[in-house]
Amino acid sequence: MADIDDFLAHLAIERRTSAHTLDAYRRDLAALSAWADTHGIALIALHTEQLRAFIADEHRRGLSPKSLQRRLSACRSFYRWLLRHGRIAASPAAAIRAPKAPRKLPQVLDVDEAARLVEVPTDVPLGVRDRALLELFYSSGLRLSELCALRWHDLQLDDGLVTVLGKGGKQRRVPVGSHARAALAAWREERPASMDAPVFPGRNGPITPRAVQLRLRQLALRQGLSKRVHPHLLRHSFASHVLESSGDLRGVQELLGHADIATTQIYTHLDFQHLAKVYDAAHPRARRKRGAGDA
């Protein structure tokens, strides 16, 4: 386990990997370590066929293709790190492919639903804060971790920009819309704070991701939304709506902070779904509508 601990420390300190990803890697590598111990194999002596047997055993145990992909991704990263540091001569994970998982399109809010959610009343307890939080979330497409970590000095409201530290410690600047700027200004006026203070404070420092998740669920119910609303849904909605209006996939990739444009391309499928609905509804020969006399 010493090698695993060193690898996780590298991710946390040098790569600045998120706590959520670290926990996932820790679980995945702990499962591999337990399997290797059961079979009397040292992790640094593991061969490709043995790693393939581990993945097969996990599959028989009921893990989904998506979970197996994550397991194998953690193994690849771990053995690549061991190889780079001279602790092994070759990676057993290099030639192994995980089973394909069906690609599930993310659910999004339509424009009217998004507007209904973010326009929460401000004349109730925490209303001003909630409006600022939701407007910024939807306006800039931030990750939950990015929003929670935000400090006032990261916002340039006069210029309509926010600077965030994304995955892998990569910094990017994202526009902030006029509604979000007004909501943030109102929030700062209600609760003045230093430039180093969290934009959205919690009880002990910045607001926690869990607190945001729970609050968002409460607000969605209060606003009469039937969909299950979670923080990433606002990011999905932001991406889908920007792409739908602009058609600029590269631009959306930069706004979201995706390292690989393939990650962003899922939103082209969402956009096509929208266009297909428009076509079916509007084109006279797109699809025959059922009438009263149809069987």
Side-chain angles (χ1 to χ4, degrees), residues 168-222:
K170 292 181 180 178
Q171 192 179 82
R172 74 183 189 281
R173 301 179 82 194
V174 186
V176 179
S178 58
H179 291 283
R181 289 160 66 184
L184 286 161
W187 169 230
R188 185 147 197 217
E189 184 177 345
E190 178 173 295
R191 183 164 179 162
S194 71
M195 294 299 288
D196 291 327
V199 176
F200 303 109
R203 291 182 178 177
N204 299 297
I207 193 169
T208 65
R210 184 60 177 162
V212 175
Q213 290 169 339
L214 292 174
R215 188 62 175 170
L216 194 51
R217 195 177 305 165
Q218 293 169 353
L219 293 171
L221 291 171
R222 185 191 295 174

Side-chain angles (χ1 to χ4, degrees), residues 11-108:
L11 291 181
I13 298 169
E14 297 180 33
R15 297 290 299 276
R16 303 185 71 170
T17 303
S18 72
H20 177 76
T21 301
L22 279 174
D23 286 342
Y25 272 45
R26 186 176 290 107
R27 289 193 301 272
D28 292 333
L29 294 175
L32 174 65
S33 180
W35 184 91
D37 286 345
T38 300
H39 291 78
I41 307 168
L43 285 180
I44 60 172
L46 203 71
H47 296 301
T48 296
E49 288 307 313
Q50 293 166 331
L51 183 57
R52 188 172 280 121
F54 163 68
I55 296 297
D57 282 352
E58 293 292 271
H59 178 62
R60 282 191 289 271
R61 203 165 59 83
L63 258 67
S64 68
K66 187 173 182 180
S67 296
L68 292 173
Q69 286 178 349
R70 197 199 63 228
R71 280 269 201 275
L72 190 53
S73 176
C75 293
R76 283 199 193 99
S77 297
F78 173 58
Y79 281 107
R80 193 163 50 238
W81 180 82
L82 290 177
L83 180 62
R84 193 163 58 245
H85 287 77
R87 302 190 187 189
I88 56 174
S91 169
I96 300 179
R97 291 187 178 182
K100 288 187 177 180
R103 194 165 197 183
K104 185 179 179 182
L105 294 179
Q107 189 181 45
V108 297

